[in-house]
Amino acid sequence: MAGLQELRFPEEKPLLRGQDATELEHDIETPYGLLHVVIRGSPKGNRPAILTYHDVGLNHKLCFNTFFNFEDMQEITKHFVVCHVDAPGQQVGASQFPQGYQFPSMEQLAAMLPSVVQHFGFKYVIGIGVGAGAYVLAKFALIFPDLVEGLVLINIDPNGKGWIDWAATKLSSLTSTLPDTVLSHLFRQEELVSNTELVQSYRQQIGNVVNQANLQLFWNMYNSRRDLDINRPGTVPNAKTLRCPVMLVVGDNAPAEEGVVECNSKLDPTTTTFLKMADSGGLPQVTQPGKLTEAFKYFLQGMGYIAYLKDRRLSGGAVPSASMTRLARSRTSSLTSASSVDGSRPQACTHSESSEGLGQVNHTMEVSC
């Protein structure tokens, strides 16, 4: 990406010719094995890093390249270093785990992340996770809340599988190939039928790019996850919840829709924004990167980062968020706080702002074009 400086560490592993020269790969030692991490850009003062975690069946490239290479995202990434984390053995070219290898549990995957934060000297991160990755980042924020500044959780399912779901998954694995089983997790049946070009592309990449034995281990562990064990404050004694600002995202035609809605009901409404993307399926960051970028800008501004952002569709150059996009003109809301431009950690407020009137709390974004 243009404008980003290269970040170098002693153990850096340069990328192959033809890859983005601002990306550097690292293998980080953690208590539960090595993690493959890719850094894009360099730290910007005291600002948090953007840390991503992909869904099962994917890796950081398949999950996030379309989103982070989207033109308007450059207005965001020039302000933050980006840290892409690949789950163990899921990166491109990963060696197959030896027979008998015990894949880390979802809790252990979350417990690997402080090693990444410490290795690069990040003080805290803003996490972007999809599906299984969203679950891992939510666990991370519950266990290590002081390391997480904010979360964007796409397609999160806070529930473990019951016996009926487990049996259905087991039966599916006996009658379908692993890529097809994963596709049914990523896409709803309607999208599998209607968006054949996208689905076929991901079927091929899941089957050819990701090591199938390693993927099976990750898939099995995700399907044996426990409930996230979060509750809205005040609903039960000593309720556990995510303490940072959260933006929940799901397409209106995604298999995860029900789980995301339930997750929204379990989080603090004063610090949570629910973004339901119209005309979007199971991979909104791939099929609707413009809408998601727009919402992410608004989310960051609500947290106090990036006081002004350029919008190429408007002629005035840098504009404040209140008049930036149609998100601000539609029925939307966001956390608001004093804008931070010096890189210091802002103190997020817990009130909301709506274009339909100040003081009205409405934490559901309906985004459509």
Side-chain angles (χ1 to χ4, degrees), residues 52-65:
T52 74
Y53 212 114
H54 59 87
D55 202 354
V56 66
L58 309 176
N59 50 46
H60 84 273
K61 291 181 178 292
L62 295 178
C63 195
F64 291 111
N65 264 11

Side-chain angles (χ1 to χ4, degrees), residues 301 307-309 314 317-325 328:
Q301 289 176 326
Y308 294 92
L309 284 166
L314 301 177
V319 294
S321 61
S323 60
M324 185 181 76
T325 65

Side-chain angles (χ1 to χ4, degrees), residues 87-194:
Q90 311 304 302
Q91 69 269 23
V92 176
S95 299
Q96 185 169 318
F97 289 125
Q99 188 172 3
Y101 171 81
Q102 181 60 48
F103 197 87
S105 68
M106 302 304 287
E107 291 77 11
Q108 290 170 337
L109 291 175
M112 298 170 86
L113 295 178
S115 298
V116 176
V117 175
Q118 182 180 19
H119 179 87
F120 295 111
F122 303 145
K123 292 189 176 179
Y124 27 80
V125 302
I126 295 172
I128 304 179
V130 180
Y135 182 98
V136 170
L137 289 182
K139 271 286 185 187
F140 173 51
L142 287 171
I143 303 170
F144 306 98
D146 292 339
L147 297 181
V148 183
E149 176 80 0
L151 287 175
V152 177
L153 304 177
I154 304 170
N155 295 341
I156 188 171
D157 187 345
N159 301 316
K161 280 188 175 292
W163 284 107
I164 294 177
D165 292 331
W166 180 87
T169 300
K170 194 71 174 177
L171 180 62
S172 174
S173 67
L174 296 175
T175 58
S176 303
T177 65
L178 182 57
D180 282 332
T181 301
V182 171
L183 285 172
S184 67
H185 160 75
L186 298 175
F187 303 103
R188 216 177 241 172
Q189 184 60 37
E190 297 91 321
E191 194 172 11
L192 289 172
V193 174
S194 63

Side-chain angles (χ1 to χ4, degrees), residues 206-217:
I206 292 169
N208 298 328
V209 174
V210 184
N211 182 285
Q212 297 299 281
N214 295 355
L215 169 54
Q216 185 71 65
L217 294 175

Side-chain angles (χ1 to χ4, degrees), residues 67 70 72 247 249 252 275-280 284-285 287-298 313 325-327 365-369:
F67 181 49
F70 187 71
D72 286 353
M247 182 167 73
V249 181
D252 64 355
L275 171 61
K276 185 176 179 181
M277 298 180 65
D279 303 317
S280 183
Q285 78 279 11
T287 59
Q288 302 281 2
K291 294 180 184 179
L292 187 56
T293 297
E294 193 173 16
F296 187 42
K297 286 179 181 179
Y298 201 46
R313 289 168 298 187
T325 65
R326 61 182 170 278
L327 271 182
M365 294 184 185
E366 296 288 346
V367 183
S368 59
C369 293

Side-chain angles (χ1 to χ4, degrees), residues 5-6 77 83 85 113 117 133 181 191-192 198 201 225 241 256 287 305 311 317 319 322 331 336 356:
Q5 298 178 1
E6 187 167 303
T77 54
C83 176
V85 176
L113 295 178
V117 175
T181 301
E191 194 172 11
L192 289 172
L198 176 70
S201 172
R225 70 190 182 279
T241 191
T287 59
Y305 293 107
D311 189 336
V319 294
R331 294 182 302 163
T336 57
E356 293 183 355

